Amino acid sequence: MKYYARRIAFYAVTLWAALTLNFFIPRMMPGDPADILLAKLERVGRDIPPGVEHSIRLLLGSDTGESLWTQYVTYLQRIFSGDLGVSVTQYPVSVSTLISESLPWTIGLVGLATLISFIIGIAGGIWIGWKRGTWLDGVIPASTLLQSVPYFWLALLLVYFFSVQNSWFPRIHAYGLEFTGGPEWSWAFAGSVIYYGFLPALTIVLSSFGGWLLGMRNMMVSTLSDDYVTTAEAKGLKNSRVLLTYAARNAILPSIAGFGISLGFVVAGSIVMEQVFSYPGIGKLLIQAVQNNDYALMQGIFLIITVTVLAANFIMDLVYGFIDPRTRHNG
Amino acid sequence: MDESVREHELAKSTESASPRDDFAVDGLPLEEQPATVAFANTAAVAAREIPVKRRILANLPRRSPKLIVGLVLTFGIVLFGIIGPFFVQDPKFSGNPSLQPPSPEHLLGTTQLGYDVLAQLAYGARGSLMVGLIAGIIAVVLSLAFGIVAGYFGGWTDEFLSLVTNIMLVIPGLPLIIVIASYVPSRTLLLVALVLGLTGWAGSAVVLRSQAKSLRNRDYVAAARVAGEKPVRIILVEILPNLLPLLAAQFLFAVILGILGEAGLSYLGLGPVGSITWGTMLNEAQLGTALSSGAWWWFIPPGALIALLGCGLSLINFSIDEYINPKLRLAPAAQRSVRTARKAGLEVTSNRNVNDDGVIIDAENENENAKRVGE
């Protein structure tokens, strides 16, 4: 139980740190983002209710005459009541609405692609590790090339070859233009989403599976030279049993422990990648916000991405505590 | 370790049976490996007798194809960044015809604004390498401060520093960088590198901490402590030298991360203003609709160079990994020699023709072979 308590405490502290970062970054920066934002709103000829102005000033920090501490407390209260402010670019839609429209796209795409890449990488790593000392060892250095490829550049290549040169796959968007009414629950729509999501998902899988592959292969090689594996072989157990029940089962632990961390990289990569495909996810929204100096939207998205990654990490920690009893006992 | 030595001896004795296997995996002559093992075992005695130069050589990672390819790629690109700009035209000279495909005049063609792509690439190499280098140095210094201090002192210092490290580790870096970068009005190259370094150290700190923690309990560190040496001296003189290979690997990793991060930021239009990097080239290519006009010579080279440099640095990292963890290096070689021995045994004991070349054996085959050897 101590393990879980420690993990929960850790994520609580991390969440607090993220919120505090989010509070202080706009306040530490030169200039007054709130003024820029309000000026921008006035320029497009919109009257701003005093409540909204206060909310914006509170989120982005500017001289409201209140002490920093009061601002901080009010800011936390607002965040926890789900008020992330309003967007300037799509005034007066609230930031939370915009985020809730785009988050499912990213979670679906990144989640599914990461899962596929994890499975391919782990299975491949087990196999190549088992075949250590054969030509398959040569696959490992080759996979670093894929790993070092910037996500967005791989996306550009895929678009160039599969959409521009040969129009096999659509270039941009997440579903066909014939669905004018937006997302709907139908087989045709689901098919369209898969068709449009293929290249983005392929990008994520191609650039991330190398990491899993390498980590798993190296752990397999180390584990396979452990004494208990030699014992298992000496007992005359079947190869498949030695491979899966003895070696792979232990070698997979670091990969699972590191899952959350790698997820951070995947999320970062996909943010830039979404721009290439104009995928209507959280990354594209973030970039729109940045390009339009929509600070409230930007802060809100940063917060949501962080919270989502934290949640994924937390779930992986729970799983890890479940499959590796040592972590529970040593706290 | 002992086991693998024995297996090497075994491999050596079967050399005559299959001369092709003179070279173990990684292209190492087999003779070299037992020598290293012997060196490790008798290091204390040998240190006095072996000249300094050879001692240094023996401590360097083994020569392997991976290392050589990695070094060639890395140094090639670094040289291109250093010398290249002297041989190309001004990267901001727009007098060339626009969107020309590669030709003898413009080896990599021109951009929409008439810039020479090769010139941009050479200056971009400079910019990107600079960002990577600065970000890498900052990240390594920070990871040293957090990782080693936490690992060495333990207790509450460790609790606190590890907490900060873990928080930095799980907060996604790029969104944070994007948010910070968008608030800064004038982004210089140095500033972008600084932000990338400040957000990219946590992973290395975790690795260094666990190493420092295990080194702390070694006898020689305890001896230094008993002798009354100050913690700073123990960390710098006793612990740090043992972490050097690991530190080098972490530094190269941080450089890759820095270059990749800069490329992503620049592609989004949040890169350094006024400098040329591979990332800003890709950004311009995107704005100049290089994709739809089919100008592959514009957007493929910058990304390819990033990938090749990353690949080169990772290959060097591999060699360092195999140096730190001999299991990674010796186990495949050992396994290969076991297979060779088994095959050699088969040739002697049975008249069955072995079709495969003894290197690629699938699991069932191997089982069968094992049984035959058993008989």
Side-chain angles (χ1 to χ4, degrees):
Chain A
M1 243 21 250
K2 199 182 155 210
Y3 168 74
Y4 295 113
R6 267 182 78 108
R7 294 322 292 166
I8 291 170
F10 169 71
Y11 286 106
V13 173
T14 311
L15 185 64
W16 167 78
L19 285 171
T20 310
L21 257 179
N22 202 31
F23 174 77
F24 277 108
I25 287 173
R27 285 169 172 77
M28 285 188 318
M29 294 297 160
D32 191 338
D35 274 349
I36 299 173
L37 210 149
L38 290 169
K40 201 171 167 164
L41 272 181
E42 271 162 21
R43 221 179 306 133
V44 288
R46 270 155 183 166
D47 51 329
I48 307 142
V52 171
E53 181 179 339
H54 183 71
S55 165
I56 289 176
R57 290 202 179 276
L58 201 67
L59 281 164
L60 301 174
S62 70
D63 203 7
T64 45
E66 293 164 345
S67 75
L68 204 59
W69 177 250
T70 326
Q71 288 181 36
Y72 185 57
V73 172
T74 333
Y75 158 83
L76 285 183
Q77 281 169 354
R78 293 230 166 211
I79 297 283
F80 279 112
S81 64
D83 177 10
L84 296 172
V86 288
S87 157
V88 185
T89 22
Q90 307 189 33
Y91 191 81
V93 185
S94 76
V95 167
S96 359
T97 315
L98 283 176
I99 291 178
S100 63
E101 276 167 10
S102 57
L103 195 62
W105 288 108
T106 301
I107 290 186
L109 175 70
V110 173
L112 208 62
T114 309
L115 199 67
I116 295 172
S117 136
F118 184 75
I119 293 171
I120 296 179
I122 293 299
I126 291 176
W127 191 55
I128 296 175
W130 179 253
K131 296 278 173 191
R132 64 212 178 282
T134 67
W135 61 273
L136 277 171
D137 281 347
V139 173
I140 294 294
S143 76
T144 59
L145 189 68
L146 276 179
Q147 247 181 300
S148 328
V149 168
Y151 278 53
F152 67 92
W153 184 70
L154 185 65
L156 284 176
L157 283 192
L158 291 178
V159 165
Y160 182 68
F161 286 115
F162 297 120
S163 304
V164 178
Q165 294 291 83
N166 318 293
S167 40
W168 293 341
F169 287 99
R171 227 197 105 168
I172 49 171
H173 294 307
Y175 50 86
L177 292 173
E178 65 269 25
F179 299 97
T180 43
E184 53 184 71
W185 290 108
S186 67
W187 287 113
F189 183 75
S192 172
V193 166
I194 293 172
Y195 181 50
Y196 276 72
F198 183 79
L199 282 188
L202 186 66
T203 310
I204 297 180
V205 171
L206 278 182
S207 10
S208 61
F209 89 94
W212 308 117
L213 189 79
L214 175 68
M216 189 63 200
R217 180 261 176 187
N218 281 356
M219 273 314 290
M220 276 301 282
V221 168
S222 294
T223 310
L224 281 171
S225 54
D226 275 344
D227 287 342
Y228 66 88
V229 174
T230 315
T231 313
E233 276 174 338
K235 280 197 294 189
L237 294 182
K238 268 194 291 185
N239 271 342
S240 58
R241 190 168 164 77
V242 176
L243 176 67
L244 295 175
T245 324
Y246 283 73
R249 217 172 135 178
N250 286 297
I252 203 173
L253 290 177
S255 293
I256 290 178
F259 186 86
I261 310 300
S262 320
L263 191 68
F265 287 104
V266 179
V267 168
S270 349
I271 286 176
V272 192
M273 186 204 70
E274 280 181 8
Q275 179 72 0
V276 177
F277 290 106
S278 276
Y279 206 78
I282 204 95
K284 192 174 165 240
L285 194 65
L286 176 61
I287 288 139
Q288 271 176 5
V290 167
Q291 281 164 350
N292 296 309
N293 288 337
D294 194 343
Y295 295 112
L297 183 55
M298 203 169 76
Q299 303 276 133
I301 294 173
F302 168 66
L303 212 58
I304 293 299
I305 294 180
T306 309
V307 170
T308 316
V309 171
L310 286 187
N313 268 303
F314 183 59
I315 294 172
M316 280 322 277
D317 272 0
L318 294 185
V319 171
Y320 193 69
F322 176 69
I323 58 174
D324 187 356
R326 287 173 301 184
T327 47
R328 269 174 296 169
H329 290 302
N330 304 333
Chain B
M1 202 70 160
D2 283 354
E3 208 174 40
S4 23
V5 175
R6 234 187 305 118
E7 273 156 359
H8 281 303
E9 297 304 324
L10 189 68
K12 275 173 94 176
S13 63
T14 56
E15 257 171 37
S16 54
S18 63
R20 273 187 310 101
D21 273 75
D22 274 0
F23 282 79
V25 84
D26 301 345
L28 299 178
L30 278 173
E31 284 84 349
E32 253 183 59
Q33 288 169 353
T36 38
V37 175
F39 177 80
N41 286 345
T42 56
V45 188
R48 259 182 283 124
E49 289 153 14
I50 299 173
V52 180
K53 198 176 158 200
R54 268 199 54 200
R55 238 194 302 160
I56 293 171
L57 279 182
N59 272 317
L60 287 177
R62 313 286 113 205
R63 281 188 309 278
S64 69
K66 278 181 212 159
L67 182 61
I68 292 168
V69 172
L71 286 175
V72 167
L73 277 177
T74 309
F75 279 106
I77 292 173
V78 170
L79 267 184
F80 176 62
I82 295 174
I83 310 176
F86 295 114
F87 295 99
V88 293
Q89 55 172 239
D90 180 11
K92 292 279 180 194
F93 172 71
S94 53
N96 306 310
S98 79
L99 277 182
Q100 290 292 304
S103 64
E105 265 164 74
H106 303 285
L107 287 176
L108 285 174
T110 59
T111 72
Q112 202 185 29
L113 294 173
Y115 301 150
D116 184 63
V117 174
L118 185 66
Q120 291 239 321
L121 210 57
Y123 279 89
R126 239 180 216 188
S128 285
L129 286 170
M130 200 59 119
V131 173
L133 209 62
I134 299 172
I137 291 172
I138 295 172
V140 160
V141 169
L142 280 175
S143 64
L144 265 182
F146 277 86
I148 296 194
V149 171
Y152 179 74
F153 286 106
W156 281 106
T157 323
D158 182 22
E159 287 285 329
F160 176 71
L161 293 180
S162 298
L163 181 68
V164 177
T165 310
N166 285 326
I167 289 176
M168 284 306 287
L169 198 63
V170 287
I171 290 183
L174 194 78
L176 180 62
I177 300 171
I178 290 177
V179 169
I180 296 177
S182 64
Y183 277 114
V184 189
S186 59
R187 291 179 299 272
T188 57
L189 193 95
L190 197 67
L191 189 100
V192 170
L194 189 76
V195 175
L196 286 168
L198 284 177
T199 47
W201 53 271
S204 310
V206 172
V207 177
L208 289 175
R209 173 179 166 268
S210 67
Q211 275 299 312
K213 218 173 163 181
S214 92
L215 284 177
R216 178 183 64 167
N217 299 325
R218 300 283 164 86
D219 288 343
Y220 69 92
V221 176
R225 215 178 297 143
V226 171
E229 286 188 14
K230 289 197 183 72
V232 179
R233 198 188 135 79
I234 296 180
I235 289 179
L236 290 180
V237 179
E238 312 284 352
I239 292 186
L240 206 53
N242 286 299
L243 290 176
L244 271 183
L246 196 63
L247 210 57
Q250 297 303 323
F251 172 68
L252 297 182
F253 184 60
V255 171
I256 305 176
L257 269 191
I259 290 178
L260 281 176
E262 187 275 332
L265 267 186
S266 296
Y267 180 72
L268 298 179
L270 289 168
V273 179
S275 313
I276 301 173
T277 65
W278 292 329
T280 60
M281 284 182 73
L282 286 167
N283 181 37
E284 281 169 21
Q286 187 225 359
L287 294 176
T289 58
L291 268 185
S292 20
S293 48
W296 55 267
W297 58 88
W298 190 3
F299 67 86
I300 287 185
L305 278 191
I306 295 177
L308 285 177
L309 180 66
C311 178
L313 292 173
S314 313
L315 287 177
I316 298 178
N317 258 350
F318 273 8
S319 310
I320 299 177
D321 260 356
E322 292 184 346
Y323 170 67
I324 301 174
N325 181 1
K327 265 188 188 174
L328 283 183
R329 183 177 74 237
L330 298 175
Q335 189 65 24
R336 173 175 286 204
S337 47
V338 167
R339 279 179 198 150
T340 313
R342 199 172 276 164
K343 192 188 139 215
L346 263 183
E347 274 167 3
V348 177
T349 52
S350 85
N351 47 11
R352 175 179 165 244
N353 253 339
V354 182
N355 289 334
D356 49 35
D357 57 8
V359 177
I360 310 157
I361 305 173
D362 55 276
E364 289 96 84
N365 234 338
E366 209 168 19
N367 238 348
E368 215 175 296
N369 287 353
K371 264 183 234 148
R372 278 172 177 276
V373 171
E375 287 159 13

